[in-house]
Structure formats: C-alpha cells, structure tokens
Amino acid sequence: MNQVIDRGSPAPASQLLTQKTDASVNNQRFLGFTIGDSLSALIPLADLQATIKISLAEILPVPQMNESLLGIINYGDKATWVLDLAHLMGGSCYLNTPEVSTGMGMLFQVQNETVALLIDRVGTIETYDSHQSLPIGEAMFTDRIRLFLAGYFIDTEQKARVVIDLRQVVNSLSAVSGVAV
C-alpha cells in the first residue's frame, strides 16, 4: 500500500510537541521598558525580584555618592539602593525632571543587597529565543551605553530591544561609588 504525504497538511501532534519543546528550551522571558524617550530595553525576568512604585520624596540621598546613585529607600525593612539607570547610561538625571514625583523601581538582588533601578514605567513581559540575540555593533550606541548592554533582539515590529547587562550595572555601581554590593 502506497502512502501519500501531503506537505500542506499539519505535522503529527507528537512531532509538533517535540518542536515546541525544543523551541521553549531556548526561550527567555524579559520585562520590557523604555529608557529616556526612545531606548527600548529588556531585563531578564529571572533576575528581577519585584517591581515597585517609588516616590522620589522617599529616597534618602547619601552624601558624596555618584549622581546616578540617588540614595536609599526602605523596602522590606532593609535599606535598598536606588540607581538612576538612564543617568548611569549617559542620559539626564531622573531627579532633574520637576514634573515627575514617582517612578518605577525594578528590584534585583546583588549578593546580599537589593538594588532598585529607577525608570519611568515598566512595560510588558516579552519572550525571545536566546539564540536570536544579536551583538551590539560599535556604531549603534555611544561607548557609555554599549558598556551596559548584553545584546539585542528584533521585536515583531522590527525594532531593536536592547538587553541590559545587570553585571555591568553592578560593576559600575561599585566602581563609581565605592559601594560594596
């Protein structure tokens, strides 16, 4: 008996399940957000502890620190450093925007310390295939911005979504401020 194979018909369910499982192994989830007015960024969701609303009035400034390190807040009965991510990457300081009284903090753990990256607002959770990450080209951004980027993805609208390298953020925090995190 001859068997006709129709290339237009769907694959058997077992084959589809295998393909889906293989693809999901490479998938990584990210929290999307915008830095400044135009830089679309991502942070690996696995690295985040929480996102919280931060009143700028609640930030206790710490004297003689780098301007990017805004100060500390009380989160979970612990002192939590608040870092202005846009300023660290060469943008304008968050506190110099008079009409802004709150921001969003993306909290992550560094050794035994919690650090909040202060941004305007968080976006959506997005999933990308880790094998499709592209390297940052030298002409794409300034040296200062490139220092904090691990790569980028192209989203469904064909726009670049850069991935923030949290290790580099922490390293720069330690280097510019002398803060042991």
Side-chain angles (χ1 to χ4, degrees):
M1 180 169 114
N2 291 337
Q3 184 179 12
V4 177
I5 299 175
D6 181 3
R7 297 195 187 274
S9 66
S14 60
Q15 187 178 3
L16 287 175
L17 181 60
T18 304
Q19 289 172 350
K20 184 175 182 174
T21 304
D22 291 344
S24 65
V25 168
N26 299 326
N27 284 347
Q28 188 174 3
R29 295 174 57 181
F30 297 88
L31 180 62
F33 61 99
T34 303
I35 300 173
D37 293 329
S38 60
L39 187 59
S40 295
L42 301 165
I43 286 191
L45 203 55
D47 294 338
L48 288 177
Q49 284 186 314
T51 58
I52 61 170
K53 191 172 188 176
I54 298 176
S55 169
L56 299 184
E58 293 175 4
I59 300 173
L60 176 65
V62 177
Q64 301 179 356
M65 286 288 157
N66 181 284
E67 288 181 344
S68 297
L69 193 59
L70 300 178
I72 57 175
I73 59 170
N74 180 1
Y75 176 74
D77 292 329
K78 290 179 72 178
T80 299
W81 290 100
V82 179
L83 180 65
D84 184 340
L85 185 60
H87 187 263
L88 183 68
M89 295 176 73
S92 60
C93 185
Y94 204 92
L95 295 179
N96 293 341
T97 311
E99 67 275 1
V100 176
S101 62
T102 62
M104 292 300 295
M106 297 186 299
L107 282 78
F108 64 98
Q109 190 79 25
V110 179
Q111 296 169 5
N112 292 327
E113 299 289 330
T114 301
V115 177
L117 297 180
L118 188 66
I119 60 168
D120 290 332
R121 64 188 172 280
V122 295
T124 60
I125 295 174
E126 303 173 30
T127 303
Y128 291 94
D129 181 341
S130 58
H131 287 114
Q132 293 181 355
S133 177
L134 302 168
I136 300 294
E138 286 188 33
M140 292 176 72
F141 300 101
T142 65
D143 289 343
R144 186 164 180 177
I145 292 174
R146 271 198 333 268
L147 176 66
F148 301 105
L149 304 180
Y152 72 100
F153 295 100
I154 301 297
D155 68 12
T156 57
E157 296 173 2
Q158 300 303 306
K159 294 181 183 174
R161 304 280 291 169
V162 298
V163 178
I164 302 298
D165 186 340
L166 291 176
R167 289 179 309 219
Q168 285 300 106
V169 170
V170 170
N171 290 342
S172 70
L173 178 63
S174 299
V176 299
S177 303
V179 174
V181 288

